[in-house]
Amino acid sequence: TIRDRNMETYTTKSRKGRPNPSNRLLSRLVMLLPLALGGCAGMSGYSGDSLFPADIRSVRLEMFDNETFRRGTEYELSDALAKRIESDTPYKIITSADRADTVISGRITAIGESALSIDRELGNVLEKELQIVALVNWKNLKTGDLLIEGETVKASATFTGLQNQGFQYASALAANKLAEKIVELMETKW
């Protein structure tokens, strides 16, 4: 109870025996304030740091091996990956193993084609999907550490003969998507 100057007594409870809503709100705010402030401790907002490891400046890209019967995709993937590394990362592609900080290697393990849609009347395939699967390794040549070890990466592309798109078109498109995913793997983990 609280007494004012006129010696009248007031109670902090409502008539039904429940606490006043304003007191309940105040007590909740006081309890939540440390949680809110503690949850934000250590956060500094946005960062201008690079997404890629800072101690690396160059990458040697080895030709990917191809374990499938479809030849030529390893050239498309290696070419697309070299272009992606040069454009999307702070790294430079180096051909000499002696001067490179790291080396990326890998192998294409599967190239598969599947039908997406079929003409009901004639049974011809209208649209296909091509999927490329590769295993990727990225090794730091200074320390010997594997930055990426045997990571499986998949990418696919669709194509249709109705638009004069063939296997070569889909292979180049899927190789470019695969190169993009490999570069994403090169980013520093959060």
Side-chain angles (χ1 to χ4, degrees):
T1 61
I2 302 171
R3 293 182 182 223
D4 68 347
R5 292 184 194 157
N6 298 332
M7 300 303 251
E8 292 182 12
T9 305
Y10 296 96
T11 179
T12 57
K13 295 202 177 219
S14 67
R15 291 182 188 159
K16 295 182 181 177
R18 287 182 268 159
N20 276 340
S22 61
N23 289 343
R24 190 175 348 157
L25 179 63
L26 182 63
S27 65
R28 285 184 182 169
L29 286 175
V30 169
M31 288 183 352
L32 291 176
L33 185 63
L35 291 175
L37 293 177
C40 295
M43 291 192 61
S44 59
Y46 295 101
S47 173
D49 294 342
S50 175
L51 295 174
F52 299 95
D55 59 333
I56 297 169
R57 282 182 252 120
S58 60
V59 176
R60 179 173 183 260
L61 178 61
E62 292 183 349
M63 178 66 69
F64 273 59
D65 292 332
N66 190 350
E67 297 176 351
T68 70
F69 294 109
R70 299 275 191 166
R71 296 293 166 216
T73 308
E74 65 273 19
Y75 298 108
E76 291 172 345
L77 176 59
S78 296
D79 183 49
L81 185 55
K83 290 176 182 175
R84 283 279 176 187
I85 290 172
E86 286 278 338
S87 67
D88 295 351
T89 72
Y91 310 137
K92 298 295 173 207
I93 297 292
I94 305 277
T95 56
S96 171
D98 298 335
R99 295 185 347 197
D101 297 332
T102 61
V103 62
I104 289 184
S105 61
R107 63 184 195 270
I108 297 172
T109 58
I111 298 175
E113 249 183 274
S114 59
L116 293 179
S117 62
I118 299 175
D119 184 354
R120 289 184 185 188
E121 294 177 10
L122 301 175
N124 295 335
V125 176
L126 298 175
E127 187 178 18
K128 293 182 181 181
E129 179 182 56
L130 175 89
Q131 184 179 50
I132 302 174
V133 181
L135 286 174
V136 180
N137 296 305
W138 187 25
K139 184 177 182 179
N140 188 332
L141 295 175
K142 294 178 185 175
T143 63
D145 294 338
L146 282 172
L147 304 170
I148 299 172
E149 183 176 6
E151 190 83 29
T152 301
V153 186
K154 300 176 184 179
S156 61
T158 59
F159 64 104
T160 177
L162 299 175
Q163 294 180 349
N164 293 327
Q165 300 168 341
F167 178 85
Q168 286 303 116
Y169 167 81
S171 177
L173 193 59
N176 195 27
K177 289 180 181 180
L178 193 62
E180 185 177 350
K181 289 183 178 187
I182 293 170
V183 167
E184 288 174 3
L185 283 176
M186 296 171 72
E187 294 177 358
T188 304
K189 305 292 184 248
W190 288 26

